[in-house]
Amino acid sequence: MLTGLAVAVAAAAPWYVRAAERSVAVADVEGAQSSELVVRVSGRVEGSTAPGGTVHTGTQVVDGIRQQAGAVVDVPGAETTVSMRESGVITSDLARVSLRLAYRDEMCEHLDIEGACPRAPRELLLSRRTAQALQVGPGDEVDFTLSSLEPVPYRVVGTYQLVDPLGQYWALTDFGGSPALDPGADGPGDPAFVSSDTMAQLPIKEILSDYHLRIPKGLFLDDIEGLRGYLAPVARDNGVWRASTDAVSLANRIDRERDLVALGVGVAAVQLLVLCWFGLFFAVRHTAEQRRPDIGLLKLRGAARWRLWYLAIAQSAVPMVLGAVGGTALGLGVARLVAGNVTDSGTAAVMSGIAALAALVGAVLAAVAADAGGMRTPVTDLLRHVPSRRRGWRAEVVDLVIVLIAAAGLYQSYATTADDDDTTGLSLLAPALVAVLVALAAARLLTPLAGRVGRRSLRSGHVPAALGAIQLARRPGTHRVFALLVIAVALLGTAVGGFTAASGSRVERARHELGADRVLTVQARSRAQLVAAVRAADPGGQTAMAVVRGNNGPATVMLAVDSARFAAVADWQPAYGGPAPATIATLLRPAAPAPLPVKDGQLTLEAAAKMLPAPLAPLRAGDDTGGVAAGAAAPPTEPLFVLLHLATASGDQLTVQFGPVTGARANYTASVTGCGTGCRLVGFEPAARNFAGRSQVPDPGATITISGLTGAEGPVVPAAVLGDVGRWRAGVGETTTGPNVTASGSTLTITAVRAAREADRATRVFAVDAPAPLPMVTTANTVTPPAGDPRLAVFGGEPVPFQVVATVPTLPVATRFGYLMDLEYADRIAENPGVGDIPQVWLTDAAAPDIVDRLRAGGLTVISDETAAGLTARFDREAPPAALRFQLVAAVAGLLLTAGAFIVVAAVERPERAGELAALRAQGLPPGVVRKVSWGGYGGLAAAAILLGAGASALAQAVTRRPIPLFVDGWDVLPVPVGPQYGPLGLAALAALVVVGAAGAAAAVLLVRAVVNAGSSSKESA
């Protein structure tokens, strides 16, 4: 049975490794970012105005790109896509947007289109939010300006929204990924799609081109080395084309995880086999004690040496072989049941057979070594009824060698860990080496300590204690079984501690990386639409919260949240520390002026225009803006317009144009449609000409004075607000210059100023309905902002001023640095938002079952749906859990094996001990003393082994690093358990008490029964 148990684990190990290796690879591929599954080859091809070039059709250009770029990287089975792009500016009558003109193979199949797909030259497909910003739709015309060329008219044939922007098709492009989710991006993240012929006919010398290969996932699972060969050209620059991919990182991660599984399982299996072999050695050695008289008699009768060896070995080898056959079948069956089938089952079965055979051979050799002592013993000693108490020098040397090897291995594991943080075999063996040192030291003390206790107990009259202690002292092999029990308990404690700590850490990491019980990644036209849709879906504000998650680099995470719902929805863990979530929400949303509402209908603007000297802006060296110096005045060369910027409740931007405004104070009217019962007044902007022209910023010194804005129901902007300069502000961009804003009485005056760069000049004035600087909560390790004017790029756009209102150790989702802010306030203060932010909806586990349908009804598109439980399950399939599970199984098997060896040893010595106790019983020893001796001897040995084993495990956890890392990527954002884990250690000690205690109890009960039977036999004989 002992051999069968060890062989079962050995046979299961290779099969388990192969199944686990594929499982972790599948988990890595499923959890991989889309960019890790795509190769991008970038370069340039000749445009229509290339020197000596010829005009090609779009199909010819696409075929040329495919041929040239495909020669750089070729991955068999990969789906390929060709893209072309060029940056420019699109203008309508009311807006101007910088974006990319783009073509991509199969683009219309991956777009949700309202209208038609562009086929003919100069047909344009705009994103829905870009069309809304330009206030155009299908059938309208816009102008596209390429570089410094003249504007070219294009016809809008439809609007689109990306389908699955986080999928492989859009990965590693300038069109998809998180930029496509950014709910306010009106920059390069939203391309205008055209046909390939339109791109080929652009009047440029070179066209920026991309060739994408979508790698088949099967290559990562079945042919990772072949994939490395296919990706060898990546990062090489041949002068025209350059390949890039994150697939190599994914392949390396899979290799690391596979290596960790193989190493962890292999070390655990080897530890178990060594424990098994030593256990069998001592078990066979004790059973050999019963064969001593037989061997002695055979020697007296002149039996041949080979016959003696055959008789001795066969008694152990035959049951070992039978046990190995059953163990192999059991191990393979359990491995297939637990780990599942593997792709190469034949190879896995062969490896399992080899491992089982190795375990059997080692067991047989251990039995041979155990019998060798009896074969060398003289006949006179073999015929003695009491074994010699003298210890040979060989045993001393073996113990010393084991101690030296364990100490050297422990030191080497420390040295390896100091130089390299990777998991090694020595680092995995370190806890076992500590257990060996403790067990051998305790075992060496067991015999003299038992002898001293026995002598003192005799002198004091404690007969049960004296008999039990003397028995331990007179049995020289008992201390070795005791050492095995200590080691097995220690290994179980280490395995349980590592397994429970890793399980808890995976749950905490999943909760941290999501930030809530459930997280939906969505698409939205704007951040305001995101907030409005979530509030409508959850009116109570207790189960859903709008969040925009941004990344300002790999180590910095920004979270903009609907702070009124933060305390109820966010999964705030104790490790975050700092103020309570409700306090944080209050700090993030201080009081601010209420927004100014605007309704549909006719509006009347009372305004005047005139020229004033450009204020406080001395002429700078190299300034070629053509502006006027301070104090100069010139008549307007272009008519001035006033643009009224509005935002609907769902975040749609509306622009109303008044003018041209000329001369003295007068009334100008315009109609507002699209607001329904309420829009938010964003601000006023004086503009020269019209947005259809190239210049919309008036010349320096141009002034607009606004005296009123009135609707059908009265003033839209109260006179007191219009004349309060504190209710109006210029842009907060770091490089934005102007305008000058003054207010007096009931008028607001906006004056254009000069700037070092024309691009930095601005005339838009914003209504103050959010605090500036923006309140933020940061992590404690965040770099302290500079004094004076600390700024941060919010939503990937221009840096805005902020102030830190609280610090915490870390924040949900944050890796190293984190920033937390109110979403509405951040949306109102941010200017020119860029790309890279991801809109999400955080949900509690109490969210309504139809919450997704409610969000879709609010205009959101759900891209992904992830739960903390699902993320934890994915972490459970990674390498560390796989290795830890096998380590735990091996530790349990080791405990069962040593408990079995304990039972065998007790069974071997039971006849002699029963005879001794029966003789004492006949001389008047009370039955209660017999029971105490029996239970105290075996129970005491088991209890001492459990206590010392638990202590050895605690010591190993205290002085060694964690044998198997919690996460293969070294994630340590939240504090992880270090040192002894007393809860799991207590659980392991309880399990050991059940197993080893049961073995000791069985031995004690059988000994008492044997004493009774021996006494009865003596009486019958008498």
Side-chain angles (χ1 to χ4, degrees):
M1 291 182 64
L2 296 179
T3 305
L5 182 61
V7 169
V9 177
W15 189 284
Y16 182 86
V17 167
R18 295 299 296 271
E21 285 178 345
R22 185 169 183 84
S23 177
V24 299
V26 170
D28 283 339
V29 172
E30 289 179 354
Q33 298 180 2
S34 297
S35 60
E36 294 177 316
L37 304 173
V38 174
V39 180
R40 175 178 180 173
V41 185
S42 302
R44 297 173 181 268
V45 294
E46 289 185 351
S48 61
T49 61
T54 58
V55 177
H56 299 286
T57 65
T59 302
Q60 291 173 328
V61 174
V62 169
D63 290 343
I65 296 171
R66 192 179 301 277
Q67 181 178 4
Q68 296 176 43
V72 177
V73 177
D74 182 25
V75 178
E79 298 180 10
T80 61
T81 308
V82 170
S83 304
M84 295 181 284
R85 65 192 191 281
E86 195 61 46
S87 299
V89 176
I90 286 185
T91 55
S92 66
D93 290 340
L94 293 176
R96 176 186 178 98
V97 175
S98 297
L99 47 68
R100 290 183 177 93
L101 212 61
Y103 162 81
R104 184 167 173 79
D105 289 341
E106 306 169 5
M107 59 187 184
C108 292
E109 285 79 2
H110 293 83
L111 298 172
D112 180 12
I113 298 175
E114 293 181 4
C117 186
R119 305 291 183 189
R122 296 188 182 179
E123 286 187 344
L124 196 68
L125 189 64
L126 294 175
S127 72
R128 291 173 188 168
R129 58 189 168 196
T130 300
Q132 187 268 330
L134 294 170
Q135 298 191 26
V136 296
D140 293 335
E141 285 196 354
V142 293
D143 289 336
F144 179 71
T145 305
L146 183 65
S147 186
S148 59
L149 302 178
E150 290 296 320
V152 177
Y154 280 72
R155 188 171 67 90
V156 179
V157 295
T159 60
Y160 73 85
Q161 182 168 298
L162 270 64
V163 175
D164 192 16
L166 298 180
Q168 272 187 281
Y169 179 83
W170 298 109
L172 286 184
T173 68
D174 296 320
F175 318 140
S178 59
L181 302 178
D182 184 4
D186 58 357
D190 267 355
F193 288 106
V194 297
S195 66
S196 60
D197 287 334
T198 299
M199 291 298 301
Q201 294 170 13
L202 289 177
I204 52 179
K205 296 180 181 180
E206 292 181 324
I207 303 175
L208 297 174
S209 306
D210 293 315
Y211 179 72
H212 287 84
L213 301 93
R214 284 169 271 169
I215 303 172
K217 295 182 179 180
L219 288 178
F220 290 99
L221 305 179
D222 304 321
D223 190 17
I224 199 166
E225 290 304 320
L227 178 60
R228 291 182 187 279
Y230 303 140
L231 300 180
V234 170
R236 296 178 188 171
D237 191 347
N238 66 358
V240 179
W241 298 95
R242 181 178 179 84
S244 60
T245 184
D246 294 331
V248 177
S249 299
L250 176 59
N252 293 339
R253 187 163 68 248
I254 292 174
D255 279 343
R256 287 198 306 272
E257 295 216 47
R258 285 176 167 174
D259 291 343
L260 180 59
V261 169
L263 182 63
V265 172
V267 169
V270 168
Q271 285 182 172
L272 175 65
L273 289 180
V274 172
L275 198 64
C276 163
W277 293 336
F278 274 101
L280 287 171
F281 173 82
F282 297 130
V284 173
R285 189 161 187 171
H286 275 72
T287 59
E289 297 294 332
Q290 289 187 332
R291 296 197 294 269
R292 291 167 62 91
D294 297 334
I295 295 174
L297 290 174
L298 288 172
K299 282 188 174 184
L300 278 176
R301 294 170 182 171
R305 181 173 292 274
W306 69 268
R307 188 178 297 277
L308 294 175
W309 276 106
Y310 171 76
L311 291 175
I313 294 173
Q315 292 187 64
S316 299
V318 171
M320 283 181 176
V321 171
L322 294 176
V325 173
T328 302
L330 176 64
L332 285 174
V334 173
R336 295 188 63 169
L337 180 64
V338 175
N341 291 323
V342 297
T343 54
D344 191 0
S345 58
T347 303
V350 170
M351 295 300 296
S352 293
I354 294 173
L357 181 61
L360 175 60
V361 170
V364 173
L365 291 177
V368 172
D371 279 318
M375 296 302 172
R376 294 191 303 266
T377 303
V379 174
T380 54
D381 289 339
L382 289 173
L383 296 178
R384 291 178 59 189
H385 290 285
V386 179
S388 174
R389 295 178 57 192
R390 292 177 299 171
R391 294 171 53 87
W393 62 269
R394 294 182 181 87
E396 305 289 345
V397 171
V398 169
D399 285 353
L400 180 60
V401 169
I402 292 176
V403 169
L404 291 177
I405 291 175
L410 188 61
Y411 170 78
Q412 187 63 30
S413 71
Y414 274 108
T416 303
T417 301
D419 296 336
D420 187 359
D421 198 41
D422 290 339
T423 300
T424 63
L426 281 174
S427 64
L428 292 176
L429 284 172
L433 297 177
V434 172
V436 168
L437 293 174
V438 172
L440 288 180
R444 297 290 294 176
L445 294 174
L446 179 65
T447 300
L449 182 62
R452 179 171 296 183
V453 171
R455 289 191 295 272
R456 289 188 176 182
S457 298
L458 281 177
R459 287 196 296 268
S460 62
H462 294 88
V463 177
L467 291 176
I470 290 173
Q471 177 65 28
L472 288 177
R474 288 178 58 82
R475 293 286 178 179
T478 304
H479 74 286
R480 298 189 181 278
V481 177
F482 173 76
L484 283 181
L485 289 173
V486 172
I487 294 172
V489 174
L491 292 180
L492 180 64
T494 302
V496 173
F499 184 82
T500 54
S503 298
S505 295
R506 291 195 296 274
V507 172
E508 290 181 358
R509 178 176 181 177
R511 292 171 55 194
H512 174 81
E513 291 195 348
L514 286 184
D517 295 316
R518 181 183 177 191
V519 173
L520 307 178
T521 300
V522 300
Q523 282 181 298
R525 291 197 309 271
S526 66
R527 288 177 281 272
Q529 184 209 15
L530 174 68
V531 173
V534 174
R535 289 178 178 176
D538 175 33
Q542 296 298 307
T543 63
M545 176 175 66
V547 178
V548 174
R549 174 179 169 178
N551 293 284
N552 284 30
T556 302
V557 171
M558 301 183 61
L559 287 177
V561 301
D562 190 354
S563 56
R565 299 162 177 248
F566 182 73
V569 178
D571 187 358
W572 190 264
Q573 300 191 48
Y576 298 155
T583 303
I584 289 176
T586 303
L587 295 173
L588 292 178
R589 196 172 177 87
L596 300 171
V598 179
K599 298 181 180 180
D600 281 346
Q602 183 171 294
L603 294 179
T604 300
L605 177 73
E606 187 176 359
K610 63 179 179 178
M611 290 298 298
L612 292 176
L616 306 178
L619 187 64
R620 300 185 185 181
D623 184 6
D624 58 354
T625 60
V628 296
T637 58
E638 295 289 343
L640 293 180
F641 297 84
V642 175
L643 304 179
L644 175 65
H645 296 286
L646 308 173
T648 67
S650 60
D652 293 338
Q653 302 296 314
L654 299 179
T655 301
V656 181
Q657 178 178 290
F658 295 93
V661 179
T662 58
R665 181 170 170 178
N667 291 334
Y668 301 90
T669 61
S671 295
V672 177
T673 57
C675 280
T677 58
C679 279
R680 179 175 64 89
L681 193 152
V682 176
F684 296 102
E685 181 178 13
R689 303 188 195 171
N690 194 316
F691 270 40
R694 290 191 178 180
S695 174
Q696 68 259 21
V697 180
D699 291 334
T703 299
I704 289 289
T705 300
I706 299 174
S707 301
L709 180 64
T710 307
E713 299 179 1
V716 173
V717 182
V721 173
L722 194 63
D724 183 359
V725 73
R727 294 296 304 271
W728 305 95
R729 64 171 175 83
V732 295
E734 190 171 21
T735 61
T736 301
T737 302
N740 275 359
V741 181
T742 59
S744 61
S746 60
T747 63
L748 173 68
T749 302
I750 306 168
T751 304
V753 298
R754 303 179 66 233
R757 295 192 315 148
E758 179 68 21
D760 294 337
R761 293 202 310 122
T763 56
R764 181 179 295 195
V765 173
F766 296 86
V768 173
D769 50 14
L774 183 65
M776 288 192 186
V777 173
T778 66
T779 53
N781 61 347
T782 301
V783 178
T784 304
D789 187 24
R791 289 175 174 269
L792 185 69
V794 176
F795 306 126
E798 293 186 11
V800 301
F802 74 97
Q803 62 174 339
V804 178
V805 294
T807 58
V808 294
T810 189
L811 288 167
V813 182
T815 52
R816 186 178 179 188
F817 307 124
Y819 298 85
L820 182 67
M821 68 202 79
D822 181 80
L823 177 54
E824 267 193 320
Y825 281 174
D827 187 29
R828 293 176 185 178
I829 198 173
E831 297 178 35
N832 301 323
V835 298
D837 297 302
I838 302 177
Q840 296 179 331
V841 180
W842 288 10
L843 304 171
T844 68
D845 55 5
D850 63 340
I851 188 67
V852 173
D853 294 331
R854 297 184 189 181
L855 294 171
R856 286 173 178 157
L860 303 183
T861 300
V862 178
I863 302 302
S864 67
D865 185 349
E866 196 164 21
T867 64
L871 188 56
T872 301
R874 197 183 81 205
F875 289 148
D876 287 343
R877 290 183 291 158
E878 293 182 346
L884 287 168
R885 281 191 291 269
F886 191 88
Q887 185 186 62
L888 183 61
V889 170
V892 172
L895 184 67
L896 293 172
L897 192 147
T898 52
F902 182 27
I903 291 176
V904 170
V905 170
V908 168
E909 65 182 21
R910 186 178 304 124
E912 289 190 14
R913 292 207 64 192
E916 294 169 357
L917 291 174
L920 291 174
R921 178 75 181 87
Q923 298 176 42
L925 188 70
V929 173
V930 173
R931 286 192 294 271
K932 290 180 180 179
V933 169
S934 301
W935 282 91
Y938 292 116
L941 186 69
I946 292 172
L947 291 176
L948 276 172
S953 178
L955 179 63
Q957 295 177 40
V959 302
T960 66
R961 72 166 184 166
R962 195 171 302 281
I964 295 177
L966 299 181
F967 301 100
V968 73
D969 59 359
W971 186 88
D972 60 353
V973 175
L974 297 182
V976 298
V978 294
Q981 306 300 306
Y982 296 105
L985 195 58
L987 182 63
L990 180 62
L993 181 63
V994 171
V995 175
V996 179
V1005 169
L1006 292 175
L1007 178 59
V1008 172
R1009 187 176 300 170
V1011 171
V1012 173
N1013 293 336
S1016 301
S1017 299
S1018 299
K1019 290 180 180 180
E1020 291 175 0
S1021 300

